[in-house]
Amino acid sequence: MYTIDLQSRTPIYEQLCKRITELILKGELKPNDKIPSVRELAKGLGVNPNTVSKAFGILERDGIIYSLAGRGSFVAEIKQDSLKEKAFADFDKAVDEALKAGITCEELAERIRGKEESL
Amino acid sequence: MIELKGVTKRFEEFTALDNVDLEIGTGTAFGLLGSNGAGKSTILRLLSGIYTADGGNVIIDGQEVFDNVAVKERVFFINDETVQFSGMTLRELKNYYKGFYPNFSEEDFEKLNKIIKLPMDKRIDKFSKGMKRQAIVITGLACRTDYLLLDEAFDGLDPTMRIIVKRMLVDAMLDRQLTTIISSHNLKEINEVCDTAALLHQGKIVFCRDLDSLKGNIHKIQAAFPTNCERGDFADMEILHFEKNQSITYIIAKGEEEFIRERINAKNPLVFDMIPLTLEEIFIYEMEGMGYDFKGID
């Protein structure tokens, strides 16, 4: 479930942040669920623990997870709205690029429907 | 913390390191990159006290390394030249290092050898090349030092052994703030294991940065412009590479993503695609910039 692509150009910490946020948005991780420790994730993914810590730090700063000393990290009670806002911000950026590249609104709508079906 | 201050090392006429300054923080997994003969191994040998510098200071946690036993027993150098112990069996090798490294852990050693099952009483010179490497790697890990130097040691290990070593490193980094320095030609490995890296070329440091900011700072751009654009049209951008192939322009540029986007968009591109470079691409373009031209060889 905590998969990342080591061949990808996207930095590993960024992929981890996105993946965990995604799992929360999809409801696979619920508020107060415990998430794996830095050690477990670093070993499981074969990456540097400092990188995993960095991702956790960002998620904590953004209020997506919280940590309890000696007990680990947990999913925070987040307002779905704030996650949606974030998703919309990414979406807007992509749409701007697409419109600039001459893709029409209809084509975009078609593509979104296609995505929904494939999920 | 490791500090090199103005370090120079010469071998007769050849200058292996030329006035190098380098700082490596405690708990870092540090990657040393560079072509053959760039000076990577020389740095590791200076840090393990095998060489003494011709100029400058090699310092670990505030103390000079050379001839300093208190520092040297906190550093383990895993290198390729295990031959010097060729007459020994693995048991003898283990006991030899156990005598020198006070934190040596029999438990770690056994745990590791349970997985790879090297014969304890066979002479190491009768081992295969891969087994020799495994022998020195597990001995080095079991010494539980604060600093671990791996000179291309990763490169010769099989995939299973790599995973084991990586996991051992994770534990050591979290439990005792191990600092690792890895020299390797395998950039994929460096990308996974390290958080900071330096590129060496002809005894000098080309760059030294944390990997994420390094990768976020060089971009590959593909664009098609409505009018003819030349390299000079982007004079305010730091361009490493500029190439045109029919209507498509390929640019490798250093700098902030937003700034580059702005500059390219100002030319009203018909098509514009921008992706960060992989570590391998950064290596190649940086080396190209240093005149290490590989294009002559097709």
Side-chain angles (χ1 to χ4, degrees), chain B residues 55-72:
Chain B
N57 305 89
V58 181
I59 297 164
I60 293 184
D61 292 333
Q63 295 186 53
E64 284 281 350
V65 176
F66 193 72
D67 259 352
N68 187 337
V69 176
V71 170
K72 291 208 298 193

Side-chain angles (χ1 to χ4, degrees), chain A residues 9 13 39 43 48 50 54, chain B residues 171 175 193 195 212 281:
Chain A
R9 291 170 190 268
Y13 78 93
R39 190 186 304 263
K43 282 186 174 179
N48 182 317
N50 296 340
K54 187 172 175 182
Chain B
D171 279 331
D175 294 339
V193 178
D195 44 73
D212 290 325
E281 288 167 325

Side-chain angles (χ1 to χ4, degrees), chain B residues 115-132:
Chain B
I115 307 165
I116 51 177
K117 299 183 183 73
L118 292 173
M120 292 299 292
D121 296 304
K122 187 174 164 180
R123 279 171 60 131
I124 293 176
D125 58 3
K126 301 278 188 277
F127 279 18
S128 74
K129 199 171 166 187
M131 284 162 73
K132 280 183 190 155

Side-chain angles (χ1 to χ4, degrees), chain A residues 82-99:
Chain A
S82 67
L83 288 176
K84 275 189 186 164
E85 243 169 63
K86 237 180 154 180
F88 270 127
D90 286 344
F91 179 78
D92 287 349
K93 220 168 158 184
V95 170
D96 284 347
E97 295 280 321
L99 292 175

Side-chain angles (χ1 to χ4, degrees), chain B residues 71-175:
Chain B
V71 170
K72 291 208 298 193
E73 65 184 26
R74 299 177 52 217
V75 181
F76 196 98
F77 182 35
I78 295 179
N79 74 345
D80 238 5
E81 292 149 21
T82 44
V83 228
Q84 63 255 44
F85 304 106
S86 56
M88 289 188 188
T89 65
L90 181 53
R91 192 181 305 280
E92 286 163 349
L93 180 82
K94 180 199 76 176
N95 288 332
Y96 172 81
Y97 279 115
K98 194 179 163 183
F100 187 72
Y101 289 98
N103 294 330
F104 187 91
S105 161
E106 285 281 354
E107 194 194 328
D108 279 7
F109 187 89
E110 268 167 39
K111 206 163 84 188
L112 285 165
N113 203 27
K114 212 175 190 169
I115 307 165
I116 51 177
K117 299 183 183 73
L118 292 173
M120 292 299 292
D121 296 304
K122 187 174 164 180
R123 279 171 60 131
I124 293 176
D125 58 3
K126 301 278 188 277
F127 279 18
S128 74
K129 199 171 166 187
M131 284 162 73
K132 280 183 190 155
R133 246 187 200 154
Q134 289 180 331
I136 193 75
V137 167
I138 63 169
T139 309
L141 286 171
C143 286
R144 289 204 181 180
T145 52
D146 298 323
Y147 294 90
L148 192 63
L149 316 177
L150 294 128
D151 195 7
E152 285 169 27
F154 251 105
D155 298 3
L157 298 173
D158 65 51
T160 315
M161 191 61 192
R162 279 176 200 222
I163 292 173
I164 295 166
V165 173
K166 275 190 199 171
R167 290 185 177 167
M168 291 284 299
L169 293 180
V170 169
D171 279 331
M173 284 174 76
L174 290 171
D175 294 339

Side-chain angles (χ1 to χ4, degrees), chain A residues 6-94:
Chain A
L6 292 173
Q7 314 285 340
S8 164
R9 291 170 190 268
T10 313
I12 293 166
Y13 78 93
E14 214 176 298
Q15 287 189 56
L16 258 175
C17 285
K18 275 194 181 151
R19 184 71 193 132
I20 292 172
T21 312
E22 213 177 280
L23 289 170
I24 297 171
L25 272 175
K26 282 187 184 160
E28 286 180 45
L29 283 174
K30 304 239 174 344
N32 304 314
D33 277 357
K34 191 173 191 305
I35 58 173
S37 64
V38 168
R39 190 186 304 263
E40 286 163 340
L41 277 177
K43 282 186 174 179
L45 299 168
V47 299
N48 182 317
N50 296 340
T51 309
V52 181
S53 295
K54 187 172 175 182
F56 277 27
I58 291 169
L59 290 170
E60 217 172 305
R61 189 199 64 200
D62 292 348
I64 293 169
I65 63 169
Y66 65 94
S67 63
L68 295 175
R71 292 185 46 204
S73 298
F74 301 84
V75 176
E77 296 269 4
I78 345 164
K79 296 172 205 93
Q80 285 286 319
D81 292 357
S82 67
L83 288 176
K84 275 189 186 164
E85 243 169 63
K86 237 180 154 180
F88 270 127
D90 286 344
F91 179 78
D92 287 349
K93 220 168 158 184

